[in-house]
Amino acid sequence: MGNKYFHSVTLDSDLCRGCTNCIKRCPTEAIRVREGKAKIIDERCIDCGECLRICPYHAKLALSDPLDRIKQYKYPVALPAPSLYGQFGSKVSVDQIIAGLLEIGFCQVEEVAYGAELVSRAFAAFLKENPFPRPAISSACPAVLRLVQVKFPELLNHIVPLNSPMETTARLARARMVDAGYPPEEVGIFFITPCAAKVTAVKNPLGTGKSAVDGVIGIADVFGPLSKAINKLEETGNLRQSTGKGVGWAVTGGESRLLGDIRYLAVDGLMNVNQVFEEVMMGKLKEIEFIEGLACVGGCVGGPLTVVNPFVAKARILRCAQEVPPVLRELPPRPNWQDLLWKEKIHPVGALRLDDDMSVAIQKMETMERISESLPGLDCGSCGAPTCVALAEDIVRRQADEVDCVFKLREKVTQLAEMMVELSSKLPPSIGKKEKE
Amino acid sequence: MAKAERAKPLIMNFAIERGNFQLAGEASSKIKGRLLQLGFPGNLIRRVAIATYEAEMNLVIHSYGGTIEARIEPGKVTITVNDVGPGIPDLDKAMKAGFSTAPEEIREMGFGAGMGLPNMRNCSSEFRIDSVVGKGTTIKMVIS
Ligand SMILES: Nc1ncnc2c1ncn2[C@@H]1O[C@H](COP(=O)(O)OP(=O)(O)O)[C@@H](O)[C@H]1O
Ligand code: SF4
Ligand SMILES: [Mg+2]
């Protein structure tokens, strides 16, 4: 397991110009600009990848693996996320995508769409057989899990504690390879990902224990070689074995629709997910039994490492979901949620806490409020903080100074200038006369 | 910063307008945000969020308008709700689960299940409601 605050989003300082686009768009206010460069506050970052999308200079990088890494294993297995199927034109079939993956160096392909269908069945059975706080919240999107950890600790026990399609498929894939006689250390399991959040889910997993995935490669990084390989393909035969059900997970609502007769709410876009959770907190959504929250608009087809416009990709996924491959991989006779059950509890992250001592925290908040009232309230971002309130918070955390605000600085300079003018008219008593009334 | 001997409580004030459904939930959400920053446990934050939201809704739906004050001390939040009328004629009845005088159009919006006051009481460690018809209603909830 990696370090506690491993993140899959990082900054290329050479490309960063210190503009304020990312600080304004970060849903947890986890970015500041310091000395002309963006800095990510580790405890607050939830790896949603919003900054990857917004940076006009492409200075934010996802720490996914390059395609070359598969060469480190004798038997690399590709696990394509369902969203990969939405990245190609209508002439390219899923069979061809799988064949293409085999062309570019993988020795085996395990469709995550299949794992997704297993997970759906497990979710449905779990919710039926267990008393569980409602609304139950899907554990599929790692950025949403981290949002709950940072901002909604009280909803942690609403998260369905079952492995994701990625993790489930990875464990199956590994078991199948080992059963087939491949030496375990020579088998490398590679997830083809739409997002950086899944990289974090592998390097620093929540709930599942050590991940069975060995590497995570961005869709954008396989897209070029894969397209080329697909163009050269001749006959492929029937390779796809997943039903449309699992493929549908790539778009918002695909997951919920498989849960049967349950009142669900599917929401995408991290800010929207945040708002729905706020409403849960107030006890507003009493009738809802299940929430599918996805960080990316459109669902995983909108992931920051995809290449095609999410709406175009969605249309393709929906079509793909309707096709029925001639040979289907068999599902186990009964859904087995016990096998997917998490090994670890997830704990809240107190990243927003002002102080460990509550009375000190209250004092700091008091000060923060006073400072924030004295700031202009323009949220201009020049100070490097996303809002004036955030600057006030940074000041009480001793990570910023009042004159970081350009308006405060100008006020101070004016005061100083006035004082200088006043002082300059004064003469020592030995030279000049005291001014008379 | 030095450890505070007896910290001054933090006070937050909100004015709630009658009929303004759009802003209902704002006080609850803002208080919740503060409590998170102050390190309050999740369970307490949630009780405060529910109780405050129900109070906001009652001001919006049933009252002529009013105010909500949150007084935040270490480990303890006191929510005081005041309105300027019309007051509640029968408090025992109003406190009963399922009792509601909300008109049809409000029910159609999904409100008026008659669970607001009972929920507020359930979320509170101390709960007190006073009402004078023609004057107004005051609710004090201590959540700790
Ligand atoms: N602030 C208030 N002013 C006047 N009447 C109120 C107020 N709050 C509650 N009530 C009365 O008490 C009843 C029960 O309130 P509550 O339990 O919140 O249910 P609901 O709001 O769903 O009707 C309301 O229908 C209303 O008649
Ligand atoms: S919605 Fe899908 S692509 Fe986006 S962060 Fe979540 S898991 Fe990744
Ligand atoms: Mg009510």
Side-chain angles (χ1 to χ4, degrees), chain A residues 151 154 158 278 281-282 284 353-354 357-358 361-363 365 369 393, chain B residues 3-4 8 10 25 28-29 32 34 36-38 42 46 49-50 53 75:
Chain A
K151 285 187 77 177
E154 52 284 26
H158 289 239
E278 290 266 347
M281 283 291 302
M282 295 174 202
K284 268 194 188 182
R353 204 177 292 164
L354 286 173
D357 181 328
M358 214 181 272
I362 290 177
Q363 268 190 350
M365 189 166 285
E369 232 148 74
E393 187 184 332
Chain B
K3 187 175 155 72
K8 259 201 317 180
L10 187 81
S28 171
S29 169
K32 170 199 166 281
R34 291 294 162 85
L36 193 63
Q37 283 180 301
L38 294 173
R46 186 161 193 188
I50 293 174
Y53 173 69

PDB file of all heavy atoms in Angstrom, chain A residues 151 154 158 278 281-282 284 353-354 357-358 361-363 365 369 393, chain B residues 3-4 8 10 25 28-29 32 34 36-38 42 46 49-50 53 75:
ATOM      1  N   LYS A 151     -15.930  15.346   3.288  1.00  0.00           N
ATOM      2  CA  LYS A 151     -16.999  16.303   3.573  1.00  0.00           C
ATOM      3  C   LYS A 151     -18.252  15.744   4.223  1.00  0.00           C
ATOM      4  O   LYS A 151     -19.058  16.493   4.756  1.00  0.00           O
ATOM      5  CB  LYS A 151     -17.397  17.039   2.281  1.00  0.00           C
ATOM      6  CG  LYS A 151     -16.356  18.079   1.878  1.00  0.00           C
ATOM      7  CD  LYS A 151     -16.822  18.913   0.718  1.00  0.00           C
ATOM      8  CE  LYS A 151     -17.820  19.980   1.096  1.00  0.00           C
ATOM      9  NZ  LYS A 151     -18.179  20.795  -0.085  1.00  0.00           N
ATOM     10  N   GLU A 154     -20.468  11.546   8.167  1.00  0.00           N
ATOM     11  CA  GLU A 154     -21.642  10.882   8.719  1.00  0.00           C
ATOM     12  C   GLU A 154     -22.346   9.994   7.693  1.00  0.00           C
ATOM     13  O   GLU A 154     -23.245   9.248   8.027  1.00  0.00           O
ATOM     14  CB  GLU A 154     -22.597  11.927   9.302  1.00  0.00           C
ATOM     15  CG  GLU A 154     -22.965  13.055   8.384  1.00  0.00           C
ATOM     16  CD  GLU A 154     -21.858  14.125   8.195  1.00  0.00           C
ATOM     17  OE1 GLU A 154     -20.653  13.812   8.343  1.00  0.00           O
ATOM     18  OE2 GLU A 154     -22.200  15.253   7.867  1.00  0.00           O
ATOM     19  N   HIS A 158     -23.198   4.658   4.994  1.00  0.00           N
ATOM     20  CA  HIS A 158     -24.222   4.417   3.966  1.00  0.00           C
ATOM     21  C   HIS A 158     -23.599   3.805   2.707  1.00  0.00           C
ATOM     22  O   HIS A 158     -24.307   3.465   1.768  1.00  0.00           O
ATOM     23  CB  HIS A 158     -24.910   5.724   3.563  1.00  0.00           C
ATOM     24  CG  HIS A 158     -25.815   6.277   4.619  1.00  0.00           C
ATOM     25  ND1 HIS A 158     -27.158   6.493   4.405  1.00  0.00           N
ATOM     26  CD2 HIS A 158     -25.588   6.654   5.896  1.00  0.00           C
ATOM     27  CE1 HIS A 158     -27.702   6.985   5.513  1.00  0.00           C
ATOM     28  NE2 HIS A 158     -26.759   7.096   6.426  1.00  0.00           N
ATOM     29  N   GLU A 278     -25.735  16.829   0.488  1.00  0.00           N
ATOM     30  CA  GLU A 278     -26.202  17.864   1.432  1.00  0.00           C
ATOM     31  C   GLU A 278     -27.662  17.601   1.768  1.00  0.00           C
ATOM     32  O   GLU A 278     -28.094  17.731   2.916  1.00  0.00           O
ATOM     33  CB  GLU A 278     -26.092  19.263   0.806  1.00  0.00           C
ATOM     34  CG  GLU A 278     -24.676  19.773   0.622  1.00  0.00           C
ATOM     35  CD  GLU A 278     -24.193  20.635   1.784  1.00  0.00           C
ATOM     36  OE1 GLU A 278     -25.040  21.031   2.610  1.00  0.00           O
ATOM     37  OE2 GLU A 278     -22.987  20.889   1.863  1.00  0.00           O
ATOM     38  N   MET A 281     -28.156  14.770   4.090  1.00  0.00           N
ATOM     39  CA  MET A 281     -27.797  15.198   5.440  1.00  0.00           C
ATOM     40  C   MET A 281     -28.941  15.875   6.170  1.00  0.00           C
ATOM     41  O   MET A 281     -29.062  15.811   7.374  1.00  0.00           O
ATOM     42  CB  MET A 281     -26.649  16.209   5.356  1.00  0.00           C
ATOM     43  CG  MET A 281     -25.335  15.593   5.094  1.00  0.00           C
ATOM     44  SD  MET A 281     -24.849  14.694   6.509  1.00  0.00           S
ATOM     45  CE  MET A 281     -24.877  16.008   7.718  1.00  0.00           C
ATOM     46  N   MET A 282     -29.757  16.609   5.392  1.00  0.00           N
ATOM     47  CA  MET A 282     -30.867  17.329   6.013  1.00  0.00           C
ATOM     48  C   MET A 282     -32.084  16.436   6.160  1.00  0.00           C
ATOM     49  O   MET A 282     -33.150  16.891   6.583  1.00  0.00           O
ATOM     50  CB  MET A 282     -31.252  18.522   5.139  1.00  0.00           C
ATOM     51  CG  MET A 282     -30.185  19.570   5.042  1.00  0.00           C
ATOM     52  SD  MET A 282     -30.723  20.809   3.852  1.00  0.00           S
ATOM     53  CE  MET A 282     -29.148  21.516   3.397  1.00  0.00           C
ATOM     54  N   LYS A 284     -33.698  15.169   3.679  1.00  0.00           N
ATOM     55  CA  LYS A 284     -34.675  15.528   2.650  1.00  0.00           C
ATOM     56  C   LYS A 284     -35.081  14.355   1.771  1.00  0.00           C
ATOM     57  O   LYS A 284     -36.184  14.342   1.258  1.00  0.00           O
ATOM     58  CB  LYS A 284     -34.046  16.576   1.722  1.00  0.00           C
ATOM     59  CG  LYS A 284     -34.300  18.016   2.095  1.00  0.00           C
ATOM     60  CD  LYS A 284     -33.918  18.840   0.885  1.00  0.00           C
ATOM     61  CE  LYS A 284     -33.924  20.314   1.118  1.00  0.00           C
ATOM     62  NZ  LYS A 284     -33.596  21.028  -0.126  1.00  0.00           N
ATOM     63  N   ARG A 353     -10.788  20.439   9.201  1.00  0.00           N
ATOM     64  CA  ARG A 353     -10.774  20.867  10.593  1.00  0.00           C
ATOM     65  C   ARG A 353      -9.766  21.996  10.843  1.00  0.00           C
ATOM     66  O   ARG A 353      -8.631  21.926  10.407  1.00  0.00           O
ATOM     67  CB  ARG A 353     -10.409  19.654  11.445  1.00  0.00           C
ATOM     68  CG  ARG A 353     -10.864  19.722  12.849  1.00  0.00           C
ATOM     69  CD  ARG A 353     -10.506  18.429  13.558  1.00  0.00           C
ATOM     70  NE  ARG A 353     -11.283  17.298  13.058  1.00  0.00           N
ATOM     71  CZ  ARG A 353     -10.944  16.025  13.292  1.00  0.00           C
ATOM     72  NH1 ARG A 353      -9.841  15.737  13.956  1.00  0.00           N
ATOM     73  NH2 ARG A 353     -11.700  15.067  12.833  1.00  0.00           N
ATOM     74  N   LEU A 354     -10.208  23.028  11.545  1.00  0.00           N
ATOM     75  CA  LEU A 354      -9.322  24.168  11.799  1.00  0.00           C
ATOM     76  C   LEU A 354      -8.315  23.882  12.903  1.00  0.00           C
ATOM     77  O   LEU A 354      -7.211  24.432  12.905  1.00  0.00           O
ATOM     78  CB  LEU A 354     -10.143  25.404  12.198  1.00  0.00           C
ATOM     79  CG  LEU A 354     -10.916  26.093  11.084  1.00  0.00           C
ATOM     80  CD1 LEU A 354     -11.815  27.174  11.660  1.00  0.00           C
ATOM     81  CD2 LEU A 354      -9.973  26.681  10.052  1.00  0.00           C
ATOM     82  N   ASP A 357      -8.262  20.936  18.818  1.00  0.00           N
ATOM     83  CA  ASP A 357      -8.968  21.370  20.017  1.00  0.00           C
ATOM     84  C   ASP A 357     -10.157  22.228  19.601  1.00  0.00           C
ATOM     85  O   ASP A 357     -10.005  23.268  18.963  1.00  0.00           O
ATOM     86  CB  ASP A 357      -7.995  22.178  20.897  1.00  0.00           C
ATOM     87  CG  ASP A 357      -8.655  22.650  22.182  1.00  0.00           C
ATOM     88  OD1 ASP A 357      -9.889  22.911  22.163  1.00  0.00           O
ATOM     89  OD2 ASP A 357      -7.952  22.762  23.193  1.00  0.00           O
ATOM     90  N   MET A 358     -11.352  21.778  19.980  1.00  0.00           N
ATOM     91  CA  MET A 358     -12.547  22.454  19.480  1.00  0.00           C
ATOM     92  C   MET A 358     -12.651  23.899  19.954  1.00  0.00           C
ATOM     93  O   MET A 358     -13.113  24.758  19.193  1.00  0.00           O
ATOM     94  CB  MET A 358     -13.792  21.668  19.885  1.00  0.00           C
ATOM     95  CG  MET A 358     -14.877  21.739  18.846  1.00  0.00           C
ATOM     96  SD  MET A 358     -16.337  20.849  19.356  1.00  0.00           S
ATOM     97  CE  MET A 358     -16.002  19.202  18.775  1.00  0.00           C
ATOM     98  N   ALA A 361     -10.454  25.831  17.818  1.00  0.00           N
ATOM     99  CA  ALA A 361     -11.053  25.905  16.486  1.00  0.00           C
ATOM    100  C   ALA A 361     -12.126  26.992  16.438  1.00  0.00           C
ATOM    101  O   ALA A 361     -12.220  27.754  15.468  1.00  0.00           O
ATOM    102  CB  ALA A 361     -11.637  24.554  16.095  1.00  0.00           C
ATOM    103  N   ILE A 362     -12.927  27.069  17.500  1.00  0.00           N
ATOM    104  CA  ILE A 362     -13.982  28.084  17.547  1.00  0.00           C
ATOM    105  C   ILE A 362     -13.368  29.480  17.530  1.00  0.00           C
ATOM    106  O   ILE A 362     -13.811  30.363  16.786  1.00  0.00           O
ATOM    107  CB  ILE A 362     -14.884  27.887  18.795  1.00  0.00           C
ATOM    108  CG1 ILE A 362     -15.732  26.612  18.607  1.00  0.00           C
ATOM    109  CG2 ILE A 362     -15.805  29.094  19.013  1.00  0.00           C
ATOM    110  CD1 ILE A 362     -16.609  26.257  19.785  1.00  0.00           C
ATOM    111  N   GLN A 363     -12.305  29.660  18.310  1.00  0.00           N
ATOM    112  CA  GLN A 363     -11.604  30.955  18.305  1.00  0.00           C
ATOM    113  C   GLN A 363     -11.086  31.299  16.924  1.00  0.00           C
ATOM    114  O   GLN A 363     -11.207  32.423  16.451  1.00  0.00           O
ATOM    115  CB  GLN A 363     -10.399  30.873  19.240  1.00  0.00           C
ATOM    116  CG  GLN A 363     -10.681  31.312  20.636  1.00  0.00           C
ATOM    117  CD  GLN A 363      -9.367  31.420  21.413  1.00  0.00           C
ATOM    118  OE1 GLN A 363      -8.311  30.993  20.950  1.00  0.00           O
ATOM    119  NE2 GLN A 363      -9.451  31.991  22.595  1.00  0.00           N
ATOM    120  N   MET A 365     -12.187  30.278  14.142  1.00  0.00           N
ATOM    121  CA  MET A 365     -13.276  30.590  13.215  1.00  0.00           C
ATOM    122  C   MET A 365     -13.786  32.009  13.428  1.00  0.00           C
ATOM    123  O   MET A 365     -14.116  32.708  12.471  1.00  0.00           O
ATOM    124  CB  MET A 365     -14.408  29.589  13.373  1.00  0.00           C
ATOM    125  CG  MET A 365     -15.446  29.756  12.293  1.00  0.00           C
ATOM    126  SD  MET A 365     -16.555  28.393  12.193  1.00  0.00           S
ATOM    127  CE  MET A 365     -15.553  27.156  11.406  1.00  0.00           C
ATOM    128  N   GLU A 369     -13.773  34.803  10.599  1.00  0.00           N
ATOM    129  CA  GLU A 369     -14.930  35.567  10.187  1.00  0.00           C
ATOM    130  C   GLU A 369     -14.617  37.071  10.150  1.00  0.00           C
ATOM    131  O   GLU A 369     -15.014  37.773   9.234  1.00  0.00           O
ATOM    132  CB  GLU A 369     -16.067  35.325  11.158  1.00  0.00           C
ATOM    133  CG  GLU A 369     -17.331  34.915  10.457  1.00  0.00           C
ATOM    134  CD  GLU A 369     -18.126  33.979  11.311  1.00  0.00           C
ATOM    135  OE1 GLU A 369     -18.733  34.451  12.284  1.00  0.00           O
ATOM    136  OE2 GLU A 369     -18.109  32.772  11.017  1.00  0.00           O
ATOM    137  N   GLU A 393      -9.367  31.775   5.835  1.00  0.00           N
ATOM    138  CA  GLU A 393      -9.070  30.489   6.468  1.00  0.00           C
ATOM    139  C   GLU A 393      -7.563  30.213   6.426  1.00  0.00           C
ATOM    140  O   GLU A 393      -6.968  29.796   7.425  1.00  0.00           O
ATOM    141  CB  GLU A 393      -9.839  29.375   5.759  1.00  0.00           C
ATOM    142  CG  GLU A 393      -9.716  28.052   6.459  1.00  0.00           C
ATOM    143  CD  GLU A 393     -10.410  26.912   5.705  1.00  0.00           C
ATOM    144  OE1 GLU A 393     -11.380  27.172   4.974  1.00  0.00           O
ATOM    145  OE2 GLU A 393      -9.949  25.770   5.857  1.00  0.00           O
TER     146      GLU A 393
ATOM    147  N   LYS B   3      -4.398  27.762  24.048  1.00  0.00           N
ATOM    148  CA  LYS B   3      -5.661  27.070  24.335  1.00  0.00           C
ATOM    149  C   LYS B   3      -6.610  28.048  25.029  1.00  0.00           C
ATOM    150  O   LYS B   3      -6.247  28.743  25.972  1.00  0.00           O
ATOM    151  CB  LYS B   3      -5.389  25.875  25.247  1.00  0.00           C
ATOM    152  CG  LYS B   3      -6.628  25.031  25.450  1.00  0.00           C
ATOM    153  CD  LYS B   3      -6.295  23.796  26.265  1.00  0.00           C
ATOM    154  CE  LYS B   3      -7.509  23.274  26.990  1.00  0.00           C
ATOM    155  NZ  LYS B   3      -8.488  22.641  26.142  1.00  0.00           N
ATOM    156  N   ALA B   4      -7.834  28.084  24.525  1.00  0.00           N
ATOM    157  CA  ALA B   4      -8.792  29.038  25.077  1.00  0.00           C
ATOM    158  C   ALA B   4      -9.254  28.572  26.442  1.00  0.00           C
ATOM    159  O   ALA B   4      -9.532  27.395  26.646  1.00  0.00           O
ATOM    160  CB  ALA B   4      -9.991  29.149  24.152  1.00  0.00           C
ATOM    161  N   LYS B   8     -15.407  31.874  23.811  1.00  0.00           N
ATOM    162  CA  LYS B   8     -16.675  32.538  23.511  1.00  0.00           C
ATOM    163  C   LYS B   8     -17.420  31.666  22.516  1.00  0.00           C
ATOM    164  O   LYS B   8     -16.827  31.117  21.602  1.00  0.00           O
ATOM    165  CB  LYS B   8     -16.378  33.895  22.857  1.00  0.00           C
ATOM    166  CG  LYS B   8     -16.497  35.060  23.798  1.00  0.00           C
ATOM    167  CD  LYS B   8     -16.712  36.377  23.043  1.00  0.00           C
ATOM    168  CE  LYS B   8     -15.835  36.502  21.829  1.00  0.00           C
ATOM    169  NZ  LYS B   8     -15.928  37.658  21.037  1.00  0.00           N
ATOM    170  N   LEU B  10     -19.583  30.654  19.279  1.00  0.00           N
ATOM    171  CA  LEU B  10     -19.691  31.215  17.945  1.00  0.00           C
ATOM    172  C   LEU B  10     -21.178  31.316  17.610  1.00  0.00           C
ATOM    173  O   LEU B  10     -21.925  30.353  17.789  1.00  0.00           O
ATOM    174  CB  LEU B  10     -19.002  30.276  16.957  1.00  0.00           C
ATOM    175  CG  LEU B  10     -18.866  30.776  15.541  1.00  0.00           C
ATOM    176  CD1 LEU B  10     -17.662  31.706  15.475  1.00  0.00           C
ATOM    177  CD2 LEU B  10     -18.679  29.611  14.590  1.00  0.00           C
ATOM    178  N   GLY B  25     -32.934  25.553   3.565  1.00  0.00           N
ATOM    179  CA  GLY B  25     -31.823  24.603   3.543  1.00  0.00           C
ATOM    180  C   GLY B  25     -30.489  25.299   3.628  1.00  0.00           C
ATOM    181  O   GLY B  25     -29.466  24.686   3.926  1.00  0.00           O
ATOM    182  N   SER B  28     -29.174  25.474   7.293  1.00  0.00           N
ATOM    183  CA  SER B  28     -28.750  24.132   7.666  1.00  0.00           C
ATOM    184  C   SER B  28     -27.399  23.796   7.044  1.00  0.00           C
ATOM    185  O   SER B  28     -26.479  23.317   7.713  1.00  0.00           O
ATOM    186  CB  SER B  28     -29.815  23.143   7.203  1.00  0.00           C
ATOM    187  OG  SER B  28     -29.389  21.834   7.339  1.00  0.00           O
ATOM    188  N   SER B  29     -27.271  24.081   5.757  1.00  0.00           N
ATOM    189  CA  SER B  29     -26.053  23.753   5.039  1.00  0.00           C
ATOM    190  C   SER B  29     -24.848  24.553   5.557  1.00  0.00           C
ATOM    191  O   SER B  29     -23.753  24.022   5.718  1.00  0.00           O
ATOM    192  CB  SER B  29     -26.298  24.006   3.555  1.00  0.00           C
ATOM    193  OG  SER B  29     -25.115  23.938   2.859  1.00  0.00           O
ATOM    194  N   LYS B  32     -23.823  23.306   9.019  1.00  0.00           N
ATOM    195  CA  LYS B  32     -23.163  22.013   8.833  1.00  0.00           C
ATOM    196  C   LYS B  32     -21.705  22.195   8.420  1.00  0.00           C
ATOM    197  O   LYS B  32     -20.803  21.560   8.962  1.00  0.00           O
ATOM    198  CB  LYS B  32     -23.893  21.201   7.768  1.00  0.00           C
ATOM    199  CG  LYS B  32     -23.158  19.966   7.357  1.00  0.00           C
ATOM    200  CD  LYS B  32     -23.642  19.446   6.002  1.00  0.00           C
ATOM    201  CE  LYS B  32     -22.684  18.423   5.431  1.00  0.00           C
ATOM    202  NZ  LYS B  32     -21.488  18.972   4.811  1.00  0.00           N
ATOM    203  N   ARG B  34     -19.729  24.715   8.973  1.00  0.00           N
ATOM    204  CA  ARG B  34     -18.940  25.219  10.101  1.00  0.00           C
ATOM    205  C   ARG B  34     -18.603  24.104  11.083  1.00  0.00           C
ATOM    206  O   ARG B  34     -17.477  23.984  11.558  1.00  0.00           O
ATOM    207  CB  ARG B  34     -19.715  26.305  10.857  1.00  0.00           C
ATOM    208  CG  ARG B  34     -19.871  27.579  10.081  1.00  0.00           C
ATOM    209  CD  ARG B  34     -18.516  28.214   9.887  1.00  0.00           C
ATOM    210  NE  ARG B  34     -18.533  29.180   8.817  1.00  0.00           N
ATOM    211  CZ  ARG B  34     -18.894  30.445   8.960  1.00  0.00           C
ATOM    212  NH1 ARG B  34     -19.275  30.876  10.132  1.00  0.00           N
ATOM    213  NH2 ARG B  34     -18.857  31.253   7.939  1.00  0.00           N
ATOM    214  N   LEU B  36     -18.317  21.005  10.593  1.00  0.00           N
ATOM    215  CA  LEU B  36     -17.302  20.119  10.020  1.00  0.00           C
ATOM    216  C   LEU B  36     -15.911  20.713  10.233  1.00  0.00           C
ATOM    217  O   LEU B  36     -14.978  20.039  10.649  1.00  0.00           O
ATOM    218  CB  LEU B  36     -17.589  19.944   8.529  1.00  0.00           C
ATOM    219  CG  LEU B  36     -16.851  18.839   7.799  1.00  0.00           C
ATOM    220  CD1 LEU B  36     -17.229  17.487   8.371  1.00  0.00           C
ATOM    221  CD2 LEU B  36     -17.195  18.877   6.306  1.00  0.00           C
ATOM    222  N   GLN B  37     -15.787  22.024   9.985  1.00  0.00           N
ATOM    223  CA  GLN B  37     -14.506  22.697  10.175  1.00  0.00           C
ATOM    224  C   GLN B  37     -14.091  22.727  11.637  1.00  0.00           C
ATOM    225  O   GLN B  37     -12.911  22.789  11.954  1.00  0.00           O
ATOM    226  CB  GLN B  37     -14.578  24.137   9.658  1.00  0.00           C
ATOM    227  CG  GLN B  37     -14.498  24.248   8.155  1.00  0.00           C
ATOM    228  CD  GLN B  37     -14.566  25.696   7.733  1.00  0.00           C
ATOM    229  OE1 GLN B  37     -15.532  26.392   8.013  1.00  0.00           O
ATOM    230  NE2 GLN B  37     -13.523  26.161   7.060  1.00  0.00           N
ATOM    231  N   LEU B  38     -15.090  22.712  12.514  1.00  0.00           N
ATOM    232  CA  LEU B  38     -14.773  22.776  13.943  1.00  0.00           C
ATOM    233  C   LEU B  38     -14.460  21.397  14.521  1.00  0.00           C
ATOM    234  O   LEU B  38     -14.070  21.286  15.676  1.00  0.00           O
ATOM    235  CB  LEU B  38     -15.928  23.429  14.711  1.00  0.00           C
ATOM    236  CG  LEU B  38     -16.159  24.904  14.378  1.00  0.00           C
ATOM    237  CD1 LEU B  38     -17.420  25.409  15.055  1.00  0.00           C
ATOM    238  CD2 LEU B  38     -14.966  25.752  14.794  1.00  0.00           C
ATOM    239  N   GLY B  42     -19.620  13.372  13.185  1.00  0.00           N
ATOM    240  CA  GLY B  42     -20.582  13.270  12.098  1.00  0.00           C
ATOM    241  C   GLY B  42     -22.013  13.125  12.560  1.00  0.00           C
ATOM    242  O   GLY B  42     -22.916  13.775  12.034  1.00  0.00           O
ATOM    243  N   ARG B  46     -25.105  15.691  11.704  1.00  0.00           N
ATOM    244  CA  ARG B  46     -26.305  15.273  10.994  1.00  0.00           C
ATOM    245  C   ARG B  46     -27.576  15.650  11.748  1.00  0.00           C
ATOM    246  O   ARG B  46     -28.551  16.109  11.160  1.00  0.00           O
ATOM    247  CB  ARG B  46     -26.257  13.766  10.778  1.00  0.00           C
ATOM    248  CG  ARG B  46     -27.393  13.321   9.917  1.00  0.00           C
ATOM    249  CD  ARG B  46     -27.103  12.002   9.341  1.00  0.00           C
ATOM    250  NE  ARG B  46     -28.051  11.710   8.292  1.00  0.00           N
ATOM    251  CZ  ARG B  46     -28.126  10.538   7.704  1.00  0.00           C
ATOM    252  NH1 ARG B  46     -27.289   9.593   8.053  1.00  0.00           N
ATOM    253  NH2 ARG B  46     -29.006  10.324   6.767  1.00  0.00           N
ATOM    254  N   ALA B  49     -28.136  19.226  11.272  1.00  0.00           N
ATOM    255  CA  ALA B  49     -28.573  19.517   9.895  1.00  0.00           C
ATOM    256  C   ALA B  49     -30.056  19.226   9.730  1.00  0.00           C
ATOM    257  O   ALA B  49     -30.807  20.030   9.164  1.00  0.00           O
ATOM    258  CB  ALA B  49     -27.756  18.698   8.897  1.00  0.00           C
ATOM    259  N   ILE B  50     -30.505  18.081  10.241  1.00  0.00           N
ATOM    260  CA  ILE B  50     -31.918  17.711  10.100  1.00  0.00           C
ATOM    261  C   ILE B  50     -32.805  18.684  10.880  1.00  0.00           C
ATOM    262  O   ILE B  50     -33.778  19.228  10.345  1.00  0.00           O
ATOM    263  CB  ILE B  50     -32.158  16.260  10.589  1.00  0.00           C
ATOM    264  CG1 ILE B  50     -31.447  15.274   9.648  1.00  0.00           C
ATOM    265  CG2 ILE B  50     -33.650  15.949  10.667  1.00  0.00           C
ATOM    266  CD1 ILE B  50     -31.492  13.824  10.111  1.00  0.00           C
ATOM    267  N   TYR B  53     -32.929  22.128   9.293  1.00  0.00           N
ATOM    268  CA  TYR B  53     -33.677  22.137   8.038  1.00  0.00           C
ATOM    269  C   TYR B  53     -35.185  22.099   8.291  1.00  0.00           C
ATOM    270  O   TYR B  53     -35.954  22.847   7.681  1.00  0.00           O
ATOM    271  CB  TYR B  53     -33.246  20.965   7.150  1.00  0.00           C
ATOM    272  CG  TYR B  53     -34.108  20.827   5.929  1.00  0.00           C
ATOM    273  CD1 TYR B  53     -34.052  21.792   4.919  1.00  0.00           C
ATOM    274  CD2 TYR B  53     -35.006  19.776   5.797  1.00  0.00           C
ATOM    275  CE1 TYR B  53     -34.873  21.690   3.801  1.00  0.00           C
ATOM    276  CE2 TYR B  53     -35.825  19.676   4.682  1.00  0.00           C
ATOM    277  CZ  TYR B  53     -35.756  20.628   3.696  1.00  0.00           C
ATOM    278  OH  TYR B  53     -36.561  20.535   2.597  1.00  0.00           O
ATOM    279  N   GLY B  75     -18.536  20.900  21.583  1.00  0.00           N
ATOM    280  CA  GLY B  75     -19.372  19.728  21.819  1.00  0.00           C
ATOM    281  C   GLY B  75     -20.862  19.970  21.916  1.00  0.00           C
ATOM    282  O   GLY B  75     -21.623  19.052  22.188  1.00  0.00           O
TER     283      GLY B  75
END
